Amino acid sequence: MPASGISMGAAMNVAVVGAGPIGCATAAYLLKQGHRPALWSPTAARLRRHGAAVRYACTGSLDGWIELEWLGAPGELARFDVVIVCLPGNAYASVLKPLSAVWRNGQTMVVSGALSLCPLWLRDSAARRGREVHAVGWATTPTTAHFLADGRLHANPLRDRIDMAGTERGAGALALCAALLGPRFVDAGDLLAPTLANINPIAHAAEVIPNLTRMDKGEDWPLFGCFTPVVARLAAELDRERLALAAALGFALPTLAEHYSRSYHIRQGPLHDMAAEIQARGMGPAGPASLAHRYVLEDAPFGLVFQEALARAADVPSPLLSACIDLLQAAYGRDFRTENFLVDELGLATGGIAALRNRCAASHNADTLPR
């Protein structure tokens, strides 16, 4: 059934789940596009709350103060026709599982920077409760952003291209995304495509593995400023394995270099040269100053591990990917391969790639979102 109350081309009431830098930047850009975004998060420690409103200052491509509606209880999410999830993968279980009791018929759930086929799981978990929701996955976040030491949000420009797919095939999901943030979305046709188009897991692995001692010691270091040729070679080989898996599944995806070019509006070239330009323009964030960082705690189990499971199911070799997981597991003293509940809940471990692809294809059977 169509999501009720959505009028394309008109201002929309949109709930954003997650008040980290990406959630706050997404909400700010939605406001700039003329929509009425509201924020909900279990925490939001960085933000200034004033009753039913929240305020934060922006710099970079956004400038000035942003004031939004603050949702005081998760049950308020049910009144929004569109909900954008801006959460790290390692928060899916703790935040999204309880929210499955909140969703109502006709809502559209958009997962920003979707990992591990989370949109498919969202739709299925709602269906188990007798509710029909639509789900859309974005291969990446609309922008990159980070909080500065003084509390301001530094937001970079919106990306030129964002691969997406929905649980219902047709123009509706693409039109909805364009209505939210402009004509920068490309329909990848299958939820597996934006899952593999998300370059964060391999990029972050290449960036943090050579710098684990910096993280462990809490050093102040620039992420792209330390993107040396060593990091570039590791990133390029991980990207080669990602693209080989995508090709085996029938997808032609942008390379890591193309992604950086479109995300940061710079010319393509050697990866370490592109990183140096990103850093020189002031668009690069600080590197993680702690081992307890989403670049590993999110991207290892919900990015690398899921890609490894897909590769094994599709019989596509990915030795470097597996080696990176092994190395991170040894460094952290934990088993990241057991931390991704979606591998089991989506049946990838038991049903294999064919069964999973059939489920994705079976969901693409109607254009039910409003045009």
Side-chain angles (χ1 to χ4, degrees):
M1 63 186 350
S4 60
I6 299 178
S7 177
M8 299 301 187
M12 288 184 275
N13 296 315
V14 184
V16 176
V17 174
I22 296 302
C24 289
T26 300
Y29 272 113
L30 287 167
L31 189 66
K32 187 176 180 180
Q33 291 283 333
H35 301 299
R36 296 180 290 269
L39 276 176
W40 179 81
S41 170
T43 54
R46 290 179 177 268
L47 305 183
R48 303 180 185 182
R49 279 184 272 176
H50 305 276
V54 65
R55 297 182 76 232
Y56 51 95
C58 292
T59 187
S61 293
L62 296 169
D63 188 46
W65 283 91
I66 297 294
E67 183 166 336
L68 305 169
E69 179 185 3
W70 176 259
L71 305 180
E76 295 186 57
L77 293 168
R79 63 182 170 90
F80 292 84
D81 292 310
V82 178
V83 178
I84 302 180
V85 176
C86 297
L87 294 171
N90 53 316
Y92 288 169
S94 62
V95 178
L96 293 183
K97 278 190 173 183
L99 288 181
S100 63
V102 172
W103 311 137
R104 60 164 171 79
N105 283 333
Q107 284 185 294
T108 297
M109 326 303 299
V110 178
V111 184
S112 175
L115 293 166
S116 299
L117 287 178
C118 180
L120 184 62
W121 170 78
L122 273 174
R123 188 206 63 175
D124 290 353
S125 61
R128 287 193 290 270
R129 290 179 175 268
R131 294 160 190 166
E132 184 179 352
V133 303
H134 313 294
V136 176
W138 290 347
T140 188
T141 56
T143 183
T144 54
H146 56 278
F147 283 110
L148 301 174
D150 61 10
R152 290 180 300 162
L153 177 72
H154 183 282
N156 288 323
L158 286 171
R159 303 183 197 269
D160 288 338
R161 168 174 168 157
I162 301 173
D163 288 58
M164 54 73 62
T167 52
E168 282 74 36
R169 183 180 292 281
L174 181 62
L176 173 64
C177 294
L180 289 170
L181 290 172
R184 55 186 25 85
F185 295 90
V186 176
D187 189 350
D190 186 316
L191 278 169
L192 278 170
T195 296
L196 290 172
N198 188 332
I199 58 86
N200 280 350
I202 63 164
H204 291 161
E207 289 160 348
V208 303
I209 286 174
N211 292 290
L212 284 171
T213 56
R214 286 191 169 102
M215 297 166 61
D216 201 17
K217 294 173 65 177
E219 291 182 5
D220 182 10
W221 60 285
L223 186 72
F224 284 106
C226 293
F227 199 115
T228 66
V230 169
V231 173
R233 286 191 291 272
L234 181 56
E237 282 303 302
L238 285 169
D239 196 38
R240 184 189 59 77
E241 291 185 353
R242 178 185 68 95
L243 295 174
L245 173 58
L249 296 176
F251 307 128
L253 299 179
T255 65
L256 179 57
E258 288 171 334
H259 176 86
Y260 280 160
S261 176
R262 292 164 178 166
S263 297
Y264 295 98
H265 308 278
I266 59 176
R267 182 174 297 181
Q268 282 189 57
L271 284 172
H272 61 281
D273 287 343
M274 297 179 75
E277 185 172 353
I278 293 169
Q279 181 65 24
R281 292 189 182 186
M283 295 188 290
S290 168
L291 290 176
H293 195 277
R294 68 178 182 87
Y295 283 7
V296 176
L297 302 185
E298 171 190 22
D299 288 320
F302 288 90
L304 304 180
V305 167
F306 197 81
Q307 183 180 322
E308 181 188 57
L310 286 176
R312 287 176 174 172
D315 198 23
V316 176
S318 56
L320 183 57
L321 174 69
S322 296
C324 286
I325 297 171
D326 290 341
L327 190 154
L328 289 170
Q329 290 192 150
Y332 276 71
R334 58 197 288 179
D335 186 355
F336 289 120
R337 288 186 175 91
T338 65
E339 295 184 15
N340 187 337
F341 70 99
L342 291 169
V343 172
D344 290 330
E345 293 211 9
L346 290 171
L348 182 58
T350 55
I353 193 69
L356 184 63
R357 297 208 70 180
N358 286 338
R359 288 178 60 210
C360 288
S363 67
H364 292 165
N365 55 15
D367 183 7
T368 55
L369 287 171
R371 296 179 183 271

